[in-house]
Amino acid sequence: MSIQAKPILIDCDPGHDDAVALVMAHRSPAIELLGVTTTCGNAGIDKTTRNALRILEFIGAGNVPVAAGCVRPLTRPLVLGTADGPSGLEGSKYLPDPTMTIEPVHAVDFLARMLSKAPEPIDFVATGPLTNVALLVMKYPQVLAKIKHLTWMGGVFYRKSEIISPTEFNAFCDPEALKIVLESGVPITMVGLDVTRRVLIEEPQFEELAKIDTPLGRLVVDWLRYYDKLHRRTMNIGGAMHDPLALAAVIDPTLITTRPAHIAVDVGGAYTFGATVADFWGTRGEKPNAEIAVDVDVERFFDLMFSLLRG
Ligand code: RIB
Ligand code: CA
C-alpha cells in the first residue's frame, strides 16, 4: 500500500541538525517537501541560505524552491549560534557551492504563496527562530488556516537537576516572534530540549552511521563529528538531534508523547528572556495554546533516522 506523502514546508537555519532534517525530509516517502525557507540563528541569513541550497542540491533535491528570510530577529539584535562553525555547516569539506538560486521573493511572501495555493492545509515544520513565521502571522493572517499544524523545534519546559539555561536557543533568538506565533491560534507542537537532549549521537550511533558507505553517509558523519565535538566542548553533551526529531515527529507522530499546556514566553527578563513557561495545571486560567513533547521513543527515532539516511 503506497503511503500518501504529506506535503510540508520547512523553515530552518542550517546548521548541522537542520541539514540532517532536510535530508530526512527529502528521503522520506511519507513527506513531499514543497519548499524551504531560511532564517538566521545558527549562522547569518546568507550562510544558512547558501547551506540550504547546497544541501538540497547535493542530495538531489535541487527542484525544491528555497526562499531567504529575515536578516535578524523582530526586535532584538542578531545573536548567532556557535555550534555549527563559521560557515554554519563546518565539516562539509566536499559539499560543493550551490548552482541553484533562491526564489526572487522573501521567505514570508513565498510561504504565503505556497500556503494560499495549497489545495488543503499543509504541515509546516520550523527548526530555527520563528521570525519568518511571526511575520507571516502579521502580514498574511488569511493564510494561517492553511497551516494544518506547525511542528517547531523549540522551548524547554521541565527543569531537571542538570544545569540547563532557562532558555532554548530558537526561543532565545527571537522571543517576540514566538509570542506572536503562540498568540496566533496556529496549532503548534513544540519539540523542545526536554526530548531532543535525549536523542544524542554517541559512539553506537556513529558506528551505525559509518556503515552507510555513500557520499551522503560520509558527509553526514563529517557533519556530526564536527557538531558532536563542538557540543561536547561547549555544553558537555553529545550532538543532540534537535531538528531531526522535530521532522521525524511529522513523519511518525507516535515517536513523541505530547501534552497540552498554555505556554507563555518571557520577553521582559534580563536573564530569562526566551524562557518558555508551561502552565500545565491551568493556574493562569488560559486555554492551552500548544502541545509540548514530553517523551520520545529514542530507539525508534534512530531506527527511522538511519533508515532514511541509508536511503
Ligand atoms: O536549541 C536547538 C536549536 O537551536 C536547533 O534548531 C539548532 O539547529 C539551533 O538552531
Ligand atoms: Ca535549527
Side-chain angles (χ1 to χ4, degrees), residues 119-175:
E120 296 294 328
I122 58 179
D123 277 286
F124 188 9
V125 179
T127 61
L130 290 171
T131 314
N132 295 332
V133 185
L135 285 184
L136 181 75
V137 168
M138 293 199 286
K139 187 174 178 185
Y140 296 102
Q142 71 276 21
V143 306
L144 301 183
K146 297 297 279 302
I147 299 175
K148 183 175 174 186
H149 202 95
L150 172 63
T151 300
W152 177 56
M153 190 279 133
V156 57
F157 304 95
Y158 286 88
R159 298 292 178 266
K160 296 184 182 61
S161 57
E162 66 185 291
I163 299 168
I164 182 170
S165 88
T167 61
E168 177 280 323
F169 180 73
N170 289 339
F172 164 83
C173 278
D174 200 340

Side-chain angles (χ1 to χ4, degrees), residues 191-200 241-242 244-246 248-249 252-258 292-302:
V191 181
L193 298 181
D194 309 281
V195 289
T196 66
R197 282 166 71 107
R198 290 181 45 203
V199 285
L200 304 180
M241 292 293 94
H242 302 294
L245 180 57
D252 179 357
T254 67
L255 287 175
I256 60 172
T257 307
T258 64
I292 316 298
V294 293
D295 199 1
V296 54
D297 186 327
V298 175
E299 189 180 343
R300 282 202 306 123
F301 162 71
F302 279 117

